[in-house]
Amino acid sequence: MAPSTEYIILDLICPSLGVVLATMTFAAPVRSLRDRLARGSLGQLNPTPWAVMTGNCLGWISYSFLTKDLFVLGANVPGLMISIWLNFGACKLQYRTYYEQKLRHRLGNAANGRAILSSPNAASRGNGDGNGSDHEYDVEIETVPSTVPHERKVLWVLIIWVAICSFVAHVQLTNYEREQIIGYVVNVNLCFFYAAPLTTMVEVCRTRSAVSIHVRTTVMTILNSFFWLAYGFAVHDPFIYVPNCTGFVFGVMQALLLLMFGSKRNQDDARATQLLPPEGSGDGHDDDSTGADRFDND
């Protein structure tokens, strides 16, 4: 007997579209991060969802191994690779920002009369005539931490998932029990992923400006959650339809905030554009872009 139209739509078309839309959702911040890497700072980007994204994709990949669901696997393998790149970029930018803040602090102290330059044995390191005309100076920069806040978030997410997967793999459990454990944990992780922009939403309501809401991510979240919600109902899997229902609601809430405060967002973008110096103006800002290029190539 030929498969029914309902089966074709809900069990094949919806999850296939879900795979494509999930990948597009995970890739939505890529262009924005590339722009921020060129500029040398995160700006308004909130990288916290990217750390949660890594755990989310790891969890769903583990769940797909247990349930033999190729649609779930195909939707999360690209997301895992994308999230790793996003997290690398966020860590680089956070470290650069922290280092530059420390450097500016030290230079500010120097301007106030606290010397940060020292030249021990200046005569011996000079040109040999004792006048120290070729002194070498050492800049004493405050040490910075070996890790930045976002890096610690990613590490904690990885530690948690390694511990959970190790427990499930090495404890005597049935396959159903393994599915239940991974399913519950990955649902919690996915809810955190969808709820990560909550702090952004609170800030939008406080400032009445939607400039910090990532439009492409919001649109893709709504579409992606809708198709996975339909697929979850089709295969009667609450571990799929419950978190995606949550994601759909959060996506709609962000879209409503964009509609309510979108005009303020456009005004903020226009004001920021006016503050940018014209290209080739020779006012010294070109040096910053050159530094960003050097950072991006590292």
Side-chain angles (χ1 to χ4, degrees):
M1 186 177 66
S4 65
T5 304
E6 180 182 359
Y7 173 81
I8 293 174
I9 293 176
L10 295 180
D11 290 70
L12 297 177
I13 295 179
C14 281
S16 298
L17 290 173
V19 170
V20 175
L21 291 171
T23 302
M24 294 175 67
T25 301
F26 295 138
V30 167
R31 185 188 303 176
S32 298
L33 180 59
R34 286 176 62 89
D35 176 68
R36 298 317 308 180
L37 284 169
R39 293 172 180 265
S41 70
L42 276 171
Q44 293 287 343
L45 282 181
N46 177 18
T48 300
W50 305 341
V52 185
M53 184 195 303
T54 300
N56 175 69
C57 293
L58 280 174
W60 282 114
I61 289 172
S62 302
Y63 186 75
S64 72
F65 291 158
L66 296 171
T67 60
K68 306 297 190 293
D69 194 322
L70 292 178
F71 290 117
V72 174
L73 178 65
N76 288 278
V77 170
L80 177 61
M81 293 185 288
I82 292 171
S83 71
I84 292 172
W85 181 81
L86 292 172
N87 287 314
F88 281 163
C91 291
K92 287 192 292 185
L93 291 178
Q94 278 195 351
Y95 187 87
R96 172 175 177 156
T97 299
Y98 195 88
Y99 181 84
E100 288 180 344
Q101 288 175 348
K102 287 288 186 181
L103 180 59
R104 280 194 293 267
H105 175 70
R106 296 291 292 175
L107 292 177
N109 288 343
N112 291 330
R114 280 174 280 183
I116 62 171
L117 296 178
S118 61
S119 54
N121 303 321
S124 62
R125 292 189 298 170
N127 55 11
D129 58 4
N131 59 12
S133 59
D134 293 329
H135 295 171
E136 295 179 6
Y137 293 98
D138 298 324
V139 181
E140 300 172 357
I141 305 297
E142 292 182 26
T143 58
V144 294
S146 58
T147 60
V148 290
H150 186 72
E151 199 171 8
R152 291 190 286 272
K153 292 176 185 176
V154 176
L155 289 174
W156 274 114
V157 168
L158 293 176
I159 289 171
I160 291 171
W161 272 110
V162 168
I164 293 169
C165 291
S166 299
F167 172 81
V168 170
H170 295 287
V171 175
Q172 286 287 79
L173 298 169
T174 65
N175 194 64
Y176 174 77
E177 290 171 334
R178 291 189 176 97
E179 288 181 17
Q180 293 292 302
I181 293 173
I182 295 294
Y184 279 118
V185 177
V186 79
N187 266 253
V188 173
N189 197 138
L190 185 56
C191 288
F192 273 109
F193 173 64
Y194 284 137
L198 274 178
T199 54
T200 299
M201 295 165 64
V202 172
E203 182 68 14
V204 168
C205 293
R206 187 182 67 83
T207 62
R208 303 182 67 83
S209 170
V211 67
S212 56
I213 293 182
H214 198 265
V215 179
R216 288 192 298 275
T217 300
T218 300
V219 173
M220 297 312 304
T221 296
I222 294 173
L223 294 175
N224 179 58
S225 300
F226 174 79
F227 284 103
W228 283 107
L229 180 63
Y231 177 64
F233 280 122
V235 297
H236 308 290
D237 190 340
F239 288 136
I240 294 179
Y241 65 71
V242 169
N244 283 287
C245 181
T246 304
F248 184 78
V249 171
F250 280 125
V252 171
M253 290 171 61
Q254 291 182 76
L256 290 175
L257 290 175
L258 280 169
L259 291 175
M260 293 170 61
F261 305 117
S263 59
K264 182 66 163 59
R265 174 192 178 94
N266 294 335
Q267 292 173 8
D268 292 342
D269 289 344
R271 188 178 300 112
T273 303
Q274 291 174 357
L275 292 175
L276 291 175
E279 294 186 3
S281 59
D283 56 0
H285 290 282
D286 290 340
D287 293 337
D288 181 64
S289 62
T290 305
D293 292 338
R294 287 197 300 269
F295 173 73
D296 197 27
N297 292 330
D298 287 342

